[in-house]
Amino acid sequence: MWFHERWRLVLGILGVMLTGMMPGLSAAQSGSTGPRYFGYYASAASWVGTGNYTAATSDHANVTWIAYPGLGDNTAAVNWHLERLREAQGLGMGGVLDVTGLFFDLGNTTRAPRYLRSDYLTRWQNYANQIAPYLGSVTAFYLLDEPYLHVRGDKAGIRDAINTVAQAIKARFPGKPVAAIFDYASIQDDGTTYPSFEAAGLPSELDWLGVDCYYTGSTFESCGGRSLVWYTNRLKQKMTASQRLILVPQAAYFGTQSQQSAALAGQTSLLCRIEKEVSLALGDPRFIGIFPFTYQSQHLDYGGGIREDWFGPEHLPLVRRQYARIGNHVRSGTPLRAHPCAVSASQTYAGTSPENVVDGDSNTVWNAGAGASSGTGQRQWIELDLGERTTVTRLRLQVEQFPAGPTHHVIYGGPTPNPQTEIGRFQQSTQSLQWLELTGTLHDIRYVRIVTVDNPSWVSWREIEVYRSVPPSRVYALPVAASSNDNLTLLDVADANLQTLWQSGGFPARWVELDLGQVITARKIRLLPDQTPSGYTVHEIRGGASPNPTTLLGTLSGTTSTGQWIELNSGVGGIRYLRVLTTASPSWVSWWEIEVYR
């Protein structure tokens, strides 16, 4: 049940304080642990685009990523590193230094196997002497890109080489992190193309770890049929307590050189994916940085018919605008505006678009091409799909209206389309360019619909801004144990992918346990069963701060079936571990997904 209190309504151009209504608490968002660094992978790579985008990203990034081919073989490469470090220092940024060339023989192409050089220590010491005066601006050293992809047959060998090199870096510069990013395919253990990651594990001397997965689309599931959540959890299974994660979300549209118009049109679907991926890291203390791939557009020809064409934020204004919001949130804690996955409306006047209300440009509008009147019952609406359930903390609407006069707008929100729960309303005189604002705490919101009941003009909005909570309401848990499982299929129970499942292999009693990675108040637990036949089931949910928790949070009992979500509203604090124990079911115990919300 929602409850209403009185809230401030901010009228931007009038500077007048009126009242609106929205349930929840009005306290400002408190700070949270999570990523400290934001910058684009290869933003200062000499061979990509114009070569240097440090200044172009300095309005929202606090790190630039510096790389030059042939490092250790020529003075131009070292000079590039030094020049970029000096530039970053002047802009108040740090630099991630790609030092691959100092230690590994890249062969004839960037796709050849990579081997540790015999003279790596000499090359390293010469380089280290030159960058030492700028050490304060060095954020981290990037050791090797996708190491297990390029040395497929010897994961253990390259793992040991990475550890050796990382030790050399730390011996000279103690406290400076060493990083690497793994390709998704080499850590999934399909048992054929890629020898066992399960056996090799991760280099223990790495400080920062990431995984990459790029494609065109808005869903999580196109990386070999698995999600980025799944691959991130794969790293979590193997990383040590002192290691930290880096998120490498996609920033560029992957296509062909002739598809720039398609890239511009595809920004909304790409942004939908970006929003979901960034939610993985925000507020999670295991993440240290967010490094999107990539800022610049690039057209790479590797020969033999192998090429890559990317259109980056430098040519995708909506993507750049959203990453600027994310970057500024990471580096300075500014409120984070969400970008919807879709916008729909009751009707639209020619020449305008519903998407105009979320483009960050007050000079563009959505216009219904018709009015609204309580007398006739005619209403107009516009609805935002945020892509996933979230906690909304602020809603701002910029009016487009002529003439000025009395208006009546009702705002609805909820987890399904055409939400019916009223979360606020404005009923007063308004005029064009005026901002209307609601603040509060609203849980389980995916869809926001603004319905205009009365308006003296055609119904129109310039901008609609929705701000979400940080940390995000959903906690991406790591499945850690079960009554029967293996390391791979167990991850399917909490991977944000409703196409994969975990199956216990038997009838009750069976259980599965999740590690939330941090102590939280578990507000809600949602479970999606895989169950044939339908029938009566009993599920006990326990939680606590330690593994094998014993505190009963609640019991879900009743008739259930495959694809039917069941929910437990908890509100119990001090929870890091959750265990779901099924004690009665007519089928083998199996779950498509378990979601946890704070």
Side-chain angles (χ1 to χ4, degrees):
M1 175 68 68
W2 297 92
F3 64 94
H4 285 74
E5 292 181 356
R6 304 298 286 178
W7 293 93
R8 286 193 310 180
L9 165 63
V10 181
L11 304 183
I13 66 168
L14 300 178
V16 178
M17 302 305 294
L18 297 177
T19 57
M21 293 190 294
M22 190 174 183
L25 301 177
S26 59
Q29 283 293 112
S30 59
S32 61
T33 59
R36 295 170 50 197
Y37 302 106
F38 181 92
Y40 296 87
Y41 180 90
S43 55
S46 62
W47 67 93
V48 184
T50 62
N52 181 24
Y53 296 81
T54 302
T57 61
S58 63
D59 63 330
H60 61 284
N62 57 9
V63 171
T64 190
W65 198 288
I66 303 170
Y68 195 101
L71 185 64
D73 296 323
N74 58 72
T75 57
V78 176
N79 287 340
W80 179 268
H81 278 221
L82 296 177
E83 290 165 4
R84 301 288 76 75
L85 274 179
R86 284 193 290 266
E87 180 184 12
Q89 191 176 56
L91 293 168
M93 303 168 70
V96 173
L97 302 179
D98 187 330
V99 292
T100 303
L102 293 176
F103 302 103
F104 297 93
D105 185 354
L106 301 183
N108 294 325
T109 74
T110 58
R111 295 186 177 267
R114 302 179 176 190
Y115 301 99
L116 188 60
R117 292 177 177 269
S118 59
D119 61 346
Y120 74 88
L121 276 177
T122 300
R123 296 164 67 88
W124 162 245
Q125 293 299 344
N126 289 339
Y127 173 81
N129 290 338
Q130 296 179 76
I131 67 163
Y134 305 96
L135 189 62
S137 295
V138 176
T139 302
F141 293 97
Y142 189 64
L143 199 50
L144 191 58
D145 193 51
E146 301 182 333
Y148 288 172
L149 170 65
H150 297 287
V151 188
R152 295 181 178 181
D154 188 18
K155 283 188 174 70
I158 197 65
R159 175 201 65 202
D160 295 343
I162 289 172
N163 283 334
T164 297
V165 169
Q167 288 169 353
I169 293 175
K170 294 175 182 181
R172 179 64 187 271
F173 299 130
K176 288 297 177 182
V178 180
I181 297 170
F182 294 81
D183 70 291
Y184 77 89
S186 67
I187 65 174
Q188 69 180 350
D189 277 320
D190 63 10
T192 55
T193 307
Y194 301 96
S196 179
F197 172 72
E198 185 69 25
L202 294 167
S204 59
E205 293 295 328
L206 286 177
D207 301 292
W208 296 359
L209 310 160
V211 60
D212 58 26
C213 165
Y214 313 123
Y215 61 94
T216 298
S218 61
T219 65
F220 264 171
E221 296 83 37
S222 294
C223 297
R226 298 191 184 276
S227 67
L228 185 63
V229 179
W230 191 95
Y231 292 106
T232 300
N233 277 341
R234 191 77 174 112
L235 292 183
K236 290 178 182 177
Q237 282 183 328
K238 297 295 184 180
M239 61 191 284
T240 66
S242 62
Q243 289 176 319
R244 291 293 175 265
L245 292 164
I246 53 178
L247 185 73
V248 193
Q250 186 168 335
Y253 181 96
F254 182 69
T256 65
Q257 285 179 294
S258 62
Q259 288 184 321
Q260 185 162 353
S261 60
L264 288 168
Q267 289 182 90
T268 297
S269 62
L270 178 56
L271 280 164
C272 187
R273 182 185 183 212
I274 289 168
E275 290 284 275
K276 294 175 182 177
E277 291 187 348
V278 170
S279 291
L280 275 173
L282 294 177
D284 188 334
R286 290 167 291 192
F287 279 90
I288 190 69
I290 298 176
F291 299 105
F293 179 92
T294 58
Y295 180 81
Q296 60 270 56
S297 299
Q298 50 183 311
H299 305 285
L300 307 175
D301 191 342
Y302 297 103
I306 301 175
R307 65 174 295 115
E308 294 179 0
D309 294 286
W310 301 85
F311 299 94
E314 69 164 327
H315 293 126
L316 301 177
L318 295 182
V319 175
R320 189 194 190 282
R321 184 175 288 119
Q322 189 60 19
Y323 267 126
R325 295 167 182 154
I326 294 166
N328 280 314
H329 173 79
V330 169
R331 70 179 189 173
S332 58
T334 56
L336 185 56
R337 178 180 173 182
H339 193 286
C341 289
V343 186
S344 56
S346 51
Q347 60 187 66
T348 298
Y349 186 66
T352 73
S353 169
E355 287 77 14
N356 287 347
V357 303
V358 296
D359 65 359
D361 183 356
S362 291
N363 294 312
T364 62
V365 304
W366 163 73
N367 193 310
S373 170
S374 57
T376 64
Q378 182 180 26
R379 298 186 174 192
Q380 304 297 335
W381 58 265
I382 187 167
E383 182 172 293
L384 280 59
D385 175 6
L386 303 180
E388 60 185 352
R389 292 174 179 236
T390 190
T391 297
V392 172
T393 60
R394 189 181 182 196
L395 180 67
R396 301 181 74 231
L397 306 95
Q398 190 177 33
V399 175
E400 169 57 19
Q401 174 187 329
F402 185 82
T407 57
H408 184 187
H409 310 285
V410 184
I411 298 93
Y412 299 90
T416 55
N418 189 16
Q420 298 298 306
T421 300
E422 181 181 333
I423 60 176
R425 68 172 58 215
F426 300 101
Q427 192 170 9
Q428 71 282 312
S429 181
T430 55
Q431 65 184 62
S432 188
L433 297 177
Q434 180 176 320
W435 281 100
L436 313 178
E437 182 171 323
L438 297 170
T439 59
T441 301
L442 293 168
H443 296 301
D444 297 323
I445 302 296
R446 173 171 173 173
Y447 295 89
V448 175
R449 177 175 284 214
I450 297 96
V451 178
T452 299
V453 179
D454 282 300
N455 204 67
S457 73
W458 284 1
V459 177
S460 183
W461 297 103
R462 289 177 176 267
E463 283 291 304
I464 300 175
E465 300 179 354
V466 179
Y467 292 82
R468 61 179 181 175
S469 66
V470 178
S473 54
R474 180 169 181 183
V475 180
Y476 289 94
L478 171 66
V480 290
S483 50
S484 59
N485 64 272
D486 63 68
N487 272 347
L488 298 181
T489 59
L490 178 59
L491 297 182
D492 293 337
V493 78
D495 63 349
N497 183 356
L498 303 186
Q499 306 303 312
T500 60
L501 57 82
W502 167 78
Q503 190 175 88
S504 68
F507 291 96
R510 302 283 172 158
W511 57 269
V512 63
E513 186 170 313
L514 309 179
D515 176 7
L516 307 181
Q518 54 190 306
V519 175
I520 68 163
T521 295
R523 180 179 56 82
K524 179 179 295 227
I525 299 100
R526 304 182 74 232
L527 308 98
L528 186 63
D530 169 50
Q531 177 188 327
T532 302
S534 302
Y536 182 78
T537 59
V538 178
H539 311 285
E540 297 177 0
I541 302 177
R542 300 181 185 273
S546 303
N548 189 16
T550 58
T551 300
L552 182 65
L553 305 184
T555 300
L556 297 171
S557 60
T559 300
T560 55
S561 60
T562 291
Q564 172 193 336
W565 282 98
I566 55 178
E567 297 184 357
L568 175 69
N569 293 311
S570 170
V572 177
I575 305 298
R576 172 168 174 171
Y577 292 88
L578 282 173
R579 177 173 287 207
V580 180
L581 170 65
T582 301
T583 59
S585 177
S587 77
W588 284 9
V589 178
S590 181
W591 298 104
W592 287 105
E593 192 75 10
I594 299 176
E595 299 178 350
V596 182
Y597 293 84
R598 72 184 104 208

